[in-house]
Amino acid sequence: MLDDHTNSDQEAEKDEIVTELSADDRHLLDMIQQLLEPCDRITYGERQREVAAKLGKSVRTVRRLVKKWEEEGLAALQTTARADKGKHRIDTD
């Protein structure tokens, strides 16, 4: 029964409607929309490099962000906190 409750919570999270974005997420959205504007192949590569430099990320990461945007829409841009943030992975012994 616990598994049913967990699965329904996960499904509800997938169906969540994003209504507000943080300033960083809005900036990321602007960058992705800039990449989605029509252009030729050479210009697109240049835009990717420019966006990657502005975001401080690699070109490959930018490609992943664009793909995620195309698949999930606004929900892809929402930043999530890691569950293990601040926890040490190495045993103290």
Side-chain angles (χ1 to χ4, degrees), residues 12-29:
E13 288 177 9
K14 288 181 184 178
D15 296 334
E16 185 176 325
I17 297 173
V18 178
T19 57
E20 294 183 21
L21 292 174
S22 68
D24 291 337
D25 291 342
R26 272 188 251 121
H27 179 66
L28 180 59
L29 174 61

Side-chain angles (χ1 to χ4, degrees), residues 37-75:
E37 293 175 1
C39 63
D40 63 359
R41 203 173 176 154
I42 294 171
T43 306
Y44 185 73
E46 291 171 358
R47 284 185 187 173
Q48 278 184 333
R49 287 187 288 279
E50 289 172 11
V51 168
K54 288 179 185 177
L55 295 175
K57 302 196 181 295
S58 69
V59 174
R60 178 66 182 127
T61 300
V62 170
R63 287 186 198 135
R64 287 183 184 125
L65 289 170
V66 171
K67 182 179 178 183
K68 194 172 178 185
W69 162 258
E70 290 173 341
E71 292 172 354
E72 300 176 23
L74 279 177

